[in-house]
Amino acid sequence: MIPQAAPGLRVRRHLEAIRIAVDRVLRSGVYILGPETEAFEYEFASMLGLPHVIGVNSATDALSLALAALGVGPGDEVLVPALSAAATAVAVHRLGAQPVLVDVEPKCRGLDPALISAAATSRTKAIVVVHLHGVPAMIGELITSARKLGLAVVEDCAQSQGARIGSAMVGSFGDAAAFSFYPTKNLGAVGDGGAVATHSADLAARVRRGRFYGMNERGICIEAGFNSRLDEIQAAILRVLLPYLEEENRQRRAFAAFYDLKFASLAAAGLVDLPPSLEGAVYHQYAIAVDGRDDLRRQLHAAKIGTGVHYDAALDRHAAFADNRAGAGGKSFPVAENLAGRLLSLPIQSDLDPYRDRVADALIGLLRARQASEGSICPT
Ligand SMILES: *Cc1c(COP(=O)(O)O)cnc(C)c1O
């Protein structure tokens, strides 16, 4: 079986260096908030070109901590894209705030800037911009819309470590950015991990307190916070992998370019929609959109090719966010709903490069066979 994602292959490539790093932590006697976390925060901040990075337990926590530090609390509303990981909306919900879903646009599959002002109310405090699948969202337009309305901007960069718009790193545009180091992400740990990045020293200080119960340096709780710390073992492993991120992202782009070329005639025939092709994208996923997705997925599985679906349901279909349901209050999310029914993620990680021809040829064969059986156009 060709896996869709294979974090274990990446770990095995760096096994010796990881063993040395873990051993160093085990012998140090410092396991939480020590020199490894501090060094990783510094190294990750240098890569982003931002002054402050705070290591936390996950991107879900990073989003909540950043939003809380920006003043989001009970009764507030936060605009989030209708197509994202459930974690994006969960992070808002558990602050006692209301995630308000907004449809995405088809070009980058991120929040649609044209819908921001209509979705905002007097209770709206912030927007969360997700760079879905590692493709930068329309951040310039989104920031302009948010600023006009006085809203804070948090970038959800869980899928976009190292993505760029021009020469600027994704995560450097908003008031704060949240990163995930979940094992399958472009930069993944061997367990949970996350980070908040920001330009603001004041925001950084609040997030630093927030990850440690809300305490200041003297151990006084200023406001009730979380227990959400990046541990020393994960930080040490992330320091081993970080120097390879740029090269791995380059390989993901090359992998995507290979698929783009292979699938060009399928796309021209209207059999698939290819993912956005953007220079600074890092392709956490290479997600085509195709009719009859679930059947195709089963057929690929039978051919021993693993695929993923990111995501099977727009967030309005999740029971936890039911008050955002399409139709309720006149809201609908046609682009997100359409993508959720048609997206299919193919293997894209550099370790799976040896299988790229098998994956592409199987997909082409299945779609051409389907086309022939439907008798629409002659298969070529
Ligand atoms: C993975 C992911 C998250 C959650 O990350 P965790 O580290 O698992 O909390 C949030 N948002 C997006 C877009 C993600 O892909």
Side-chain angles (χ1 to χ4, degrees):
M1 191 78 192
I2 301 171
Q4 197 264 325
L9 293 181
R10 174 167 59 194
V11 168
R12 260 176 269 166
R13 255 196 290 130
H14 298 285
L15 200 56
E16 262 327 291
I18 288 174
R19 280 208 175 109
I20 290 166
V22 170
D23 195 60
R24 186 172 70 229
V25 175
L26 293 178
R27 289 167 193 280
S28 77
V30 180
Y31 305 126
I32 294 282
L33 296 186
E36 299 289 343
T37 304
E38 207 172 301
F40 173 71
E41 289 175 343
Y42 177 80
E43 289 158 8
F44 197 60
S46 306
M47 184 210 76
L48 293 173
L50 285 171
H52 309 286
V53 163
I54 304 99
V56 299
N57 176 260
S58 65
T60 312
D61 282 3
L63 286 167
S64 294
L65 285 162
L67 288 166
L70 285 161
V72 172
D76 293 333
E77 293 176 356
V78 175
L79 307 187
V80 303
L83 188 69
S84 184
T88 308
V90 165
V92 174
H93 195 274
R94 67 177 174 170
L95 294 174
Q98 166 79 31
V100 173
L101 306 183
V102 175
D103 206 3
V104 297
E105 37 74 27
K107 191 167 156 274
C108 312
R109 299 171 174 171
L111 266 181
D112 187 341
L115 303 176
I116 298 299
S117 78
T121 71
S122 57
R123 293 195 299 169
T124 310
K125 286 277 172 63
I127 71 172
V128 178
V129 177
V130 178
H131 303 290
L132 193 72
H133 303 154
V135 176
M138 297 173 74
I139 193 75
E141 294 87 336
L142 288 165
I143 295 216
T144 304
S145 311
R147 294 295 178 236
K148 266 192 208 142
L149 299 160
L151 307 178
V153 177
V154 174
E155 296 180 71
D156 179 340
C157 301
Q159 305 187 355
S160 58
Q161 299 97 329
R164 283 190 175 82
I165 301 173
S167 60
M169 300 299 282
V170 151
S172 65
F173 293 90
D175 296 292
F179 291 86
S180 173
F181 307 121
Y182 184 85
T184 56
K185 308 287 173 155
N186 290 32
L187 177 62
V190 181
D192 274 311
V196 175
T198 179
H199 295 278
S200 160
D202 178 52
L203 206 65
R206 269 187 266 174
V207 171
R208 254 176 223 289
R209 285 200 300 271
R211 76 172 167 182
F212 205 167
Y213 321 128
M215 290 190 314
N216 69 10
E217 318 74 59
R218 298 176 55 208
I220 306 297
C221 238
I222 309 283
E223 65 264 299
F226 293 8
N227 169 0
S228 183
R229 302 167 298 225
L230 181 64
D231 70 68
E232 286 286 282
I233 287 184
Q234 299 306 336
I237 293 170
L238 288 167
R239 292 184 67 205
V240 171
L241 299 178
L242 179 60
Y244 299 94
L245 176 63
E246 180 92 31
E247 172 60 14
E248 285 194 26
N249 283 341
R250 198 193 58 72
Q251 288 171 346
R252 282 175 185 261
R253 275 193 288 270
F255 208 139
F258 166 82
Y259 280 147
D260 283 347
L261 199 63
K262 278 284 218 178
F263 302 149
S265 63
L266 291 180
L271 297 178
V272 292
D273 296 327
L274 299 185
S277 177
L278 265 88
E279 205 186 319
V282 294
Y283 296 98
H284 173 60
Q285 302 297 353
Y286 183 92
I288 60 170
V290 61
D291 293 338
R293 183 264 320 274
D294 294 335
D295 279 341
L296 182 64
R297 199 174 179 212
R298 269 189 292 275
Q299 291 172 309
L300 285 166
H301 194 268
K304 301 217 176 324
I305 294 167
T307 59
V309 175
H310 307 93
Y311 293 91
D312 202 6
L315 292 175
D316 59 296
R317 301 287 168 189
H318 292 237
F321 315 117
D323 38 358
N324 276 293
R325 189 161 291 142
K331 287 182 204 164
S332 69
F333 313 99
V335 181
E337 294 280 354
N338 178 280
L339 285 171
R342 299 174 68 234
L343 286 177
L344 184 69
S345 304
L346 304 180
I348 185 77
Q349 185 185 327
S350 64
D351 301 271
L352 302 174
D353 209 66
Y355 307 112
R356 65 185 202 171
D357 281 296
R358 249 179 79 193
V359 174
D361 292 339
L363 185 83
I364 292 167
L366 289 167
L367 286 180
R368 287 297 182 194
R370 182 199 278 181
Q371 183 191 33
S373 77
E374 282 165 3
S376 47
I377 319 168
C378 286
T380 54

